[in-house]
Every structure is written in structure tokens, then in C-alpha cells.
């Protein structure tokens, strides 16, 4: 004999042990939108902001916002909104990078980073470079090392007055002077000026490139090679023309500099010279 069918209680509640759970979402699985992945906004990650199309590398991420830098050095700040960015053509949600456990890392120059290290009080010694672009590139790669060592980098705007500058600086055992010169090749004007500096507490070194731009590897900039510019023509302007860039050397340099992330983006001829200068200026002084 079949048992009688159960009936709902008078209160309208289901009998204990007989309830069923139903999902309020009846959308078939194949019609549900794909889940958008979350991606940490790590430095140098290249993304496109979905609403504006602005494409750039992550250079900073604060609470609720991310700062991008495009290939011309322009900065834009965007909110970290869900599905707000494209990564390699895929919609993603950028999230603030997690603060993982402290571990040894490398600075842009390849040195072992010292987490939490404070900048040292500036030394009396200095490193001089020819121009602003040179100083910005040195800061980009060796900035962390220089701050820990307390070395200040200044620029000369050319080397014609270098002998007078050295004399005015007054190098000493505890105040050494290092100088980085562009296009220091045999027979050049720069080589003759460098040879006139004989002070034992001054070190003048140089790289073979016409301008510091050439010390950045072409592959890092996204070109096959640095073009040859006819003599008598402004070199930087000629480079912009040959590469089809707008003839705005300031914007061109910001584009080049934005492609430099570490020592791997620089030519060895520059790396060795800068490391030599840092060692010279920071060498211990055994004074009395």
C-alpha cells in the first residue's frame, strides 16, 4: 500500500528534512558572461585603458588608482575599475599588487637592493655628466645605488669649460670628481679636453657614442639600429627625421627613456664607464 502523500504544514513551512534549495539565477551556464581575470598592476605591465584607449606601462599604483606612462612619456591616472583595462587584447580587472614577503631583489643597475635603506648624506665628491639627458639616464638605472652611496650627479651642458669647472670644484682625496663624456674617441675635441685634466683626484671617462641616446640599445627602443646622421646636421633632429618621429627632441627622449628599465637596456660601453666612476668617487679615503 502506497504511503499517503505528504502535505504542507498548516504554517506553510516545509517538513523538516524534505526542503530543496533552488538557485535564483536560472541563466544557462553557456549564456553566463566569462569571468574577467584579475591582474596585479605590477610596475612596467603594459595595458590599455578600455574607455579612452590610452596605452602605457604601469609606473605606480596607489589605493584605487593606477598611473600609466605612454611611449612619449605622458602620464595618465585611472581608477581601478572592474573590467577597466585590456591586456594583450583581453579584458582584465587591474588590482593593487599584494605586498609579499621581503626578499632580496635587484636594483635597475643589477645591484642587490637593500629594502628600507635610507639615502646617505651627500658626499663631497660628485659625478658630472654632459647634459640633462645623460643625468636622467644615469638616475634611471643607477639612482638607487647613488642614493645609498650619497653620490650626487650634476650636468655640465658640454665639456668646453671642463678644465675651469674642475679647478673651481677643487678635487681632494675626500672629495673626488668623476666626469662622463660623450663621444670620447681618439682625435675628437672631447678627447683633447679630457687629456688636459691631470688632477689625480679627478677621473674623466667616456663612451664612444655621439650622444647618450645611442647608449640605449636599439632593440629596447623598438628600432633596428640608430640611424647615421650626415655631418653638419643636428644629430638628434636627424635621428627623429630618419625614424619618422616628430621633430620634437624632448618628446623623443622621453620615449627613449621610458623604454629603459634596467642595465640590460644599455650598451656595455656605457655600463662599465658609469660603474668605474661610482667606484672611483666612493673609494675609501685613508686620511690622517
Amino acid at each position: 500500500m502506497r504511503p499517503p502523500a505528504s502535505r504542507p504544514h498548516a504554517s506553510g513551512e516545509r517538513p523538516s528534512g524534505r526542503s530543496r534549495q533552488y538557485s535564483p539565477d536560472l541563466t544557462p551556464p553557456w549564456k553566463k558572461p566569462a569571468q574577467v581575470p584579475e591582474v596585479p598592476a605590477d610596475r612596467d605591465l603594459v595595458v590599455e585603458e578600455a574607455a579612452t584607449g590610452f596605452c602605457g606601462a604601469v609606473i605606480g599604483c596607489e589605493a584605487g588608482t593606477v598611473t600609466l606612462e605612454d611611449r612619449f612619456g605622458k602620464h595618465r591616472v585611472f581608477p581601478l575599475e572592474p573590467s577597466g583595462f585590456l591586456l594583450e587584447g583581453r579584458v582584465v580587472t587591474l588590482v593593487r599588487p599584494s605586498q609579499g614577503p621581503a626578499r632580496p631583489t635587484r636594483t635597475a643597475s643589477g645591484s642587490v637592493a637593500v629594502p628600507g635603506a635610507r639615502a646617505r648624506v651627500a658626499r663631497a665628491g660628485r659625478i658630472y655628466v654632459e647634459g640633462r639627458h645623460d643625468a636622467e639616464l644615469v638616475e634611471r638605472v643607477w639612482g638607487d645605488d647613488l642614493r645609498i652611496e650619497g653620490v650626487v650627479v650634476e650636468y655640465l651642458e658640454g665639456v668646453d669649460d671642463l678644465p675651469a669647472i674642475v679647478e673651481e670644484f677643487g678635487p681632494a682625496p675626500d672629495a673626488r670628481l668623476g666626469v662622463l663624456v660623450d663621444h670620447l674617441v681618439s682625435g675628437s675635441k672631447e678627447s683633447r679636453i679630457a687629456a688636459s685634466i691631470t688632477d689625480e683626484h679627478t677621473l674623466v671617462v667616456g663612451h664612444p657614442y655621439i650622444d647618450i641616446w645611442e647608449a640605449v640599445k636599439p632593440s629596447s627602443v623598438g628600432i633596428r639600429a640608430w640611424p647615421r646622421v650626415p655631418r653638419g646636421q643636428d644629430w638628434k633632429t636627424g635621428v627623429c627625421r630618419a625614424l619618422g618621429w616628430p621633430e620634437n627632441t624632448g618628446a623623443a627622449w622621453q620615449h627613449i627613456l621610458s623604454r629603459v628599465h634596467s642595465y640590460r637596456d644599455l650598451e656595455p660601453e656605457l655600463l662599465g664607464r658609469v660603474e668605474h666612476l661610482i667606484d672611483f668617487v666612493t673609494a675609501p679615503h685613508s686620511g690622517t
Side-chain angles (χ1 to χ4, degrees), residues 55-73:
C55 183
V58 174
I59 61 171
C61 187
E62 303 296 335
T65 64
V66 63
T67 303
L68 303 182
E69 180 183 74
D70 71 5
R71 65 191 185 95
F72 296 108

Side-chain angles (χ1 to χ4, degrees), residues 58-211:
V58 174
I59 61 171
C61 187
E62 303 296 335
T65 64
V66 63
T67 303
L68 303 182
E69 180 183 74
D70 71 5
R71 65 191 185 95
F72 296 108
K74 184 179 180 180
H75 294 181
R76 290 280 298 275
V77 179
F78 298 100
L80 292 174
E81 295 182 345
S83 306
F85 298 86
L86 300 177
L87 175 62
E88 298 179 350
R90 297 184 300 114
V91 177
V92 298
T93 296
L94 287 187
V95 296
R96 193 174 183 184
S98 60
Q99 300 296 326
R103 67 183 67 180
T105 57
R106 297 280 176 177
T107 66
S109 70
S111 302
V112 176
V114 183
R118 301 178 64 180
R120 178 175 175 170
V121 175
R123 294 174 181 266
R126 292 287 188 272
I127 290 178
Y128 282 179
V129 296
E130 281 207 47
R132 181 171 59 85
H133 293 179
D134 305 66
E136 290 176 344
L137 186 62
V138 170
E139 163 63 26
R140 184 86 167 192
V141 177
W142 288 274
D144 290 338
D145 306 56
L146 293 169
R147 279 183 284 279
I148 290 177
E149 295 290 350
V151 178
V152 174
V153 175
E154 300 181 8
Y155 58 91
L156 307 169
E157 291 292 1
V159 296
D160 291 348
D161 297 325
L162 182 58
I165 291 172
V166 172
E167 183 178 358
E168 181 180 357
F169 182 85
D174 59 346
R176 297 184 178 190
L177 179 61
V179 183
L180 179 68
V181 178
D182 295 344
H183 200 223
L184 191 60
V185 296
S186 178
S188 67
K189 174 191 72 173
E190 291 80 3
S191 67
R192 293 192 294 271
I193 294 174
S196 69
I197 307 299
T198 58
D199 184 274
E200 64 176 319
H201 304 303
T202 301
L203 175 65
V204 180
V205 299
H207 56 75
Y209 306 111
I210 295 175
D211 189 272

Side-chain angles (χ1 to χ4, degrees), residues 13-25:
E13 296 180 356
R14 292 184 178 273
S16 176
R18 303 286 292 178
S19 63
R20 294 182 180 178
Q21 298 294 327
Y22 293 94
S23 170
D25 185 3

